[in-house]
Amino acid sequence: MGEKVTSISAIQSHINNVFVHVTELKKSVEWYADLLGITIDLSEVQSPVHNIPVTGQTGLSLDDHTFDPSFHRSPGSGPMFNLFAPDIDAAYREIQEKNMKVIREIEWHGEVAWFNVEDPDGNVVMICNC
């Protein structure tokens, strides 16, 4: 991790933003805000895209595609991205207290541990300790 990568392409080798395709923008914004323990004024959420405030360089945008009626949302069975939780057991307890849907229990491989949750649209998010 942290290794500098040199690229000869005009496209940089870092992920700029993750788009999560949702059906009900305000409901999804509320779910992700609850997941991350942040407060978002839902009256300020405007379709079609809402950017969830996150730290780091990669952004997180929820997109309901109201501008594109032909878009077909089809969530995959694997995680779209992961969120960092250094204390995986505390993160798991918090998810259970919030009654969020865990679809893969905590797995440990050496010092690395993770579990998966599902958002209201069936998108899979991994919670990982590294």
Side-chain angles (χ1 to χ4, degrees):
M1 288 192 171
E3 178 181 320
K4 184 167 171 64
V5 176
T6 303
S7 174
I8 59 171
S9 174
I11 300 169
Q12 297 181 9
S13 61
H14 94 215
I15 296 173
N16 187 52
N17 202 56
V18 173
F19 273 80
V20 178
H21 304 286
V22 300
T23 54
E24 295 179 49
L25 189 60
K26 286 187 179 189
K27 178 180 178 181
S28 294
V29 167
E30 186 173 37
W31 188 89
Y32 279 90
D34 189 27
L35 174 70
L36 297 170
I38 59 176
T39 302
I40 295 177
D41 182 353
L42 293 178
S43 69
E44 295 181 7
V45 175
Q46 299 287 326
S47 184
V49 175
H50 183 80
N51 297 314
I52 300 293
V54 294
T55 59
Q57 291 183 333
T58 303
L60 176 60
S61 298
L62 306 182
D63 185 348
D64 69 7
H65 287 271
T66 55
F67 61 89
D68 183 6
S70 66
F71 180 80
H72 175 71
R73 192 188 61 74
S74 180
S77 60
M80 299 175 50
F81 60 91
N82 76 29
L83 294 168
F84 179 57
D87 184 340
I88 199 76
D89 293 314
Y92 186 82
R93 284 190 302 274
E94 192 173 298
I95 292 296
Q96 288 183 312
E97 289 168 6
K98 293 178 179 183
N99 293 316
M100 293 182 169
K101 186 176 180 180
V102 174
I103 59 169
R104 188 168 185 164
E105 296 295 323
I106 295 176
E107 291 188 35
W108 285 89
H109 291 273
E111 296 294 316
V112 178
W114 69 87
F115 65 94
N116 295 347
V117 297
E118 189 176 80
D119 80 1
D121 286 292
N123 297 305
V124 180
V125 178
M126 176 187 287
I127 312 297
C128 188
N129 70 348
C130 67

Coordinates of all heavy atoms in Angstrom, one line a residue, residues 83-118:
L83 N -15.5 -0.2 3.0 CA -15.3 0.9 3.9 C -14.4 0.4 5.0 O -14.5 -0.7 5.5 CB -16.6 1.4 4.4 CG -17.6 2.0 3.4 CD1 -19.0 2.2 4.0 CD2 -17.0 3.3 3.0
F84 N -13.5 1.3 5.5 CA -12.5 0.9 6.5 C -13.1 1.0 7.9 O -13.8 1.9 8.3 CB -11.4 1.9 6.4 CG -10.3 1.7 7.4 CD1 -9.6 0.5 7.5 CD2 -9.9 2.7 8.2 CE1 -8.6 0.3 8.4 CE2 -8.8 2.5 9.1 CZ -8.2 1.3 9.2
A85 N -12.9 -0.1 8.6 CA -13.3 -0.2 10.0 C -12.2 -0.9 10.8 O -12.1 -2.2 10.8 CB -14.6 -1.0 10.2
P86 N -11.3 -0.2 11.5 CA -10.1 -0.8 12.1 C -10.5 -1.8 13.2 O -9.8 -2.8 13.4 CB -9.3 0.4 12.7 CG -10.2 1.5 12.6 CD -11.2 1.3 11.6
D87 N -11.6 -1.6 13.9 CA -12.2 -2.6 14.9 C -13.4 -3.2 14.2 O -14.5 -2.8 14.3 CB -12.5 -1.8 16.2 CG -13.0 -2.8 17.3 OD1 -13.4 -3.9 17.0 OD2 -13.0 -2.4 18.4
I88 N -13.1 -4.4 13.6 CA -14.2 -5.0 12.8 C -15.3 -5.5 13.7 O -16.5 -5.5 13.3 CB -13.6 -6.2 11.9 CG1 -14.5 -6.6 10.8 CG2 -13.2 -7.4 12.8 CD1 -14.6 -5.6 9.7
D89 N -15.0 -6.0 14.9 CA -16.0 -6.5 15.8 C -16.9 -5.3 16.3 O -18.2 -5.5 16.3 CB -15.4 -7.2 17.0 CG -14.6 -8.4 16.6 OD1 -15.2 -9.2 15.9 OD2 -13.5 -8.6 17.1
A90 N -16.4 -4.2 16.6 CA -17.2 -3.0 16.9 C -18.1 -2.6 15.8 O -19.3 -2.2 15.9 CB -16.3 -1.9 17.4
A91 N -17.5 -2.6 14.6 CA -18.3 -2.2 13.4 C -19.4 -3.2 13.2 O -20.6 -2.8 12.8 CB -17.4 -2.2 12.1
Y92 N -19.2 -4.5 13.4 CA -20.2 -5.5 13.2 C -21.4 -5.3 14.2 O -22.5 -5.4 13.8 CB -19.6 -6.9 13.3 CG -20.6 -8.0 13.0 CD1 -20.9 -8.4 11.7 CD2 -21.3 -8.7 14.1 CE1 -21.8 -9.4 11.4 CE2 -22.2 -9.7 13.8 CZ -22.4 -10.0 12.5 OH -23.3 -11.0 12.2
R93 N -21.0 -5.0 15.5 CA -22.0 -4.8 16.5 C -22.8 -3.6 16.1 O -24.1 -3.6 16.3 CB -21.3 -4.6 17.9 CG -20.9 -5.9 18.5 CD -20.4 -5.7 20.0 NE -19.4 -4.7 20.1 CZ -18.1 -4.9 20.0 NH1 -17.7 -6.1 19.8 NH2 -17.2 -3.9 20.2
E94 N -22.2 -2.5 15.6 CA -22.9 -1.3 15.3 C -23.9 -1.6 14.1 O -25.0 -1.1 14.2 CB -21.9 -0.2 14.8 CG -22.5 1.1 14.7 CD -21.4 2.2 14.4 OE1 -20.5 2.4 15.3 OE2 -21.4 2.8 13.3
I95 N -23.5 -2.4 13.2 CA -24.4 -2.7 12.0 C -25.6 -3.5 12.6 O -26.7 -3.3 12.2 CB -23.6 -3.5 11.0 CG1 -22.6 -2.7 10.3 CG2 -24.6 -4.2 10.0 CD1 -23.1 -1.6 9.5
Q96 N -25.4 -4.4 13.5 CA -26.5 -5.2 14.1 C -27.4 -4.3 14.9 O -28.6 -4.4 14.8 CB -25.9 -6.3 15.0 CG -25.3 -7.4 14.2 CD -24.8 -8.5 15.1 OE1 -24.1 -8.3 16.1 NE2 -25.1 -9.7 14.7
E97 N -26.8 -3.3 15.6 CA -27.7 -2.4 16.4 C -28.5 -1.6 15.5 O -29.6 -1.2 15.9 CB -26.8 -1.5 17.3 CG -26.1 -2.3 18.5 CD -25.0 -1.5 19.1 OE1 -24.8 -0.3 18.8 OE2 -24.4 -2.1 20.0
K98 N -28.1 -1.3 14.3 CA -28.8 -0.4 13.4 C -29.8 -1.3 12.5 O -30.4 -0.8 11.6 CB -27.8 0.3 12.4 CG -27.0 1.4 13.2 CD -26.0 2.0 12.3 CE -25.2 3.1 13.0 NZ -24.3 3.8 12.2
N99 N -29.8 -2.6 12.8 CA -30.7 -3.5 12.0 C -30.4 -3.5 10.5 O -31.4 -3.6 9.7 CB -32.1 -3.3 12.4 CG -32.5 -3.6 13.8 OD1 -32.0 -4.7 14.3 ND2 -33.2 -2.8 14.4
M100 N -29.2 -3.3 10.1 CA -28.8 -3.4 8.7 C -28.6 -4.8 8.3 O -28.2 -5.6 9.2 CB -27.6 -2.5 8.5 CG -27.8 -1.0 8.7 SD -26.3 -0.1 8.3 CE -27.1 1.6 8.3
K101 N -28.8 -5.1 7.1 CA -28.8 -6.5 6.6 C -27.4 -6.9 6.3 O -26.7 -6.5 5.4 CB -29.6 -6.6 5.3 CG -29.8 -8.0 4.8 CD -30.7 -8.1 3.6 CE -30.9 -9.5 3.1 NZ -31.7 -9.5 2.0
V102 N -26.9 -7.9 7.2 CA -25.6 -8.5 7.0 C -25.8 -9.7 6.0 O -26.6 -10.5 6.3 CB -25.0 -9.0 8.3 CG1 -23.7 -9.8 8.1 CG2 -24.7 -7.8 9.2
I103 N -25.0 -9.7 4.9 CA -25.2 -10.8 4.0 C -24.0 -11.8 3.9 O -24.1 -12.8 3.3 CB -25.6 -10.3 2.6 CG1 -24.5 -9.4 2.0 CG2 -26.9 -9.6 2.6 CD1 -24.7 -9.1 0.5
R104 N -23.0 -11.4 4.6 CA -21.8 -12.3 4.8 C -21.2 -12.0 6.1 O -20.8 -10.8 6.4 CB -20.8 -12.0 3.7 CG -19.7 -13.0 3.6 CD -18.8 -12.9 2.4 NE -17.9 -14.0 2.3 CZ -17.2 -14.3 1.2 NH1 -17.5 -13.7 0.1 NH2 -16.3 -15.3 1.3
E105 N -21.1 -13.0 6.9 CA -20.6 -12.8 8.3 C -19.1 -12.5 8.3 O -18.4 -12.7 7.3 CB -20.9 -14.1 9.1 CG -22.4 -14.4 9.3 CD -23.1 -13.4 10.1 OE1 -22.5 -12.9 11.1 OE2 -24.3 -13.1 9.8
I106 N -18.6 -12.1 9.5 CA -17.2 -11.8 9.6 C -16.3 -13.0 9.2 O -16.6 -14.1 9.6 CB -16.8 -11.3 11.0 CG1 -17.5 -10.0 11.4 CG2 -15.3 -11.1 11.1 CD1 -17.3 -9.6 12.8
E107 N -15.4 -12.7 8.3 CA -14.4 -13.7 7.9 C -13.0 -13.2 8.3 O -12.7 -12.0 8.1 CB -14.4 -14.0 6.4 CG -15.7 -14.7 6.0 CD -15.6 -15.1 4.5 OE1 -14.5 -15.5 4.1 OE2 -16.7 -15.0 3.9
W108 N -12.2 -14.0 8.8 CA -10.8 -13.7 9.2 C -9.8 -14.5 8.3 O -10.0 -15.7 8.1 CB -10.5 -14.0 10.6 CG -11.1 -13.0 11.6 CD1 -12.4 -13.1 12.2 CD2 -10.5 -11.8 12.1 NE1 -12.6 -12.1 13.0 CE2 -11.5 -11.3 13.0 CE3 -9.3 -11.2 11.9 CZ2 -11.2 -10.1 13.7 CZ3 -9.0 -10.0 12.6 CH2 -10.0 -9.5 13.5
H109 N -8.9 -13.8 7.7 CA -7.8 -14.5 7.0 C -6.5 -13.8 7.6 O -6.1 -12.7 7.1 CB -7.9 -14.4 5.5 CG -9.0 -15.1 5.0 ND1 -8.9 -16.5 4.6 CD2 -10.3 -14.8 4.8 CE1 -10.1 -16.9 4.2 NE2 -11.0 -15.9 4.3
G110 N -5.9 -14.5 8.5 CA -4.7 -13.9 9.2 C -5.2 -12.7 10.0 O -6.2 -12.8 10.8
E111 N -4.6 -11.5 9.8 CA -5.0 -10.3 10.4 C -6.1 -9.5 9.7 O -6.6 -8.5 10.2 CB -3.8 -9.4 10.6 CG -2.7 -10.0 11.5 CD -3.1 -10.1 12.9 OE1 -3.7 -9.2 13.5 OE2 -2.9 -11.2 13.5
V112 N -6.5 -10.0 8.5 CA -7.5 -9.3 7.7 C -8.9 -9.8 8.0 O -9.0 -11.1 7.9 CB -7.1 -9.4 6.2 CG1 -8.2 -8.7 5.4 CG2 -5.8 -8.8 5.9
A113 N -9.8 -9.0 8.2 CA -11.2 -9.4 8.5 C -12.2 -8.5 7.7 O -11.9 -7.3 7.5 CB -11.5 -9.4 10.0
W114 N -13.3 -9.1 7.4 CA -14.3 -8.3 6.7 C -15.7 -9.0 6.8 O -15.8 -10.1 7.2 CB -14.0 -8.1 5.2 CG -14.1 -9.4 4.4 CD1 -15.2 -9.9 3.8 CD2 -13.1 -10.3 4.2 NE1 -14.9 -11.1 3.2 CE2 -13.6 -11.4 3.4 CE3 -11.7 -10.3 4.5 CZ2 -12.8 -12.4 3.0 CZ3 -11.0 -11.4 4.1 CH2 -11.5 -12.4 3.3
F115 N -16.7 -8.2 6.5 CA -18.1 -8.7 6.4 C -18.8 -7.8 5.4 O -18.3 -6.7 5.1 CB -18.8 -8.8 7.7 CG -19.1 -7.5 8.4 CD1 -20.3 -6.8 8.2 CD2 -18.1 -6.9 9.2 CE1 -20.5 -5.6 8.8 CE2 -18.4 -5.7 9.9 CZ -19.6 -5.0 9.7
N116 N -19.9 -8.3 4.9 CA -20.7 -7.6 3.8 C -22.1 -7.2 4.3 O -22.7 -8.0 5.0 CB -20.8 -8.4 2.6 CG -19.5 -8.6 1.9 OD1 -18.5 -8.0 2.2 ND2 -19.5 -9.6 0.9
V117 N -22.5 -6.0 3.9 CA -23.9 -5.6 4.2 C -24.5 -5.2 2.9 O -23.9 -5.0 1.9 CB -23.9 -4.4 5.2 CG1 -23.4 -4.7 6.5 CG2 -23.2 -3.2 4.6
E118 N -25.9 -5.1 2.9 CA -26.6 -4.8 1.7 C -27.4 -3.5 1.9 O -28.1 -3.4 3.0 CB -27.6 -6.0 1.4 CG -28.3 -5.9 0.1 CD -29.1 -7.1 -0.2 OE1 -30.2 -7.2 0.4 OE2 -28.6 -8.0 -0.9

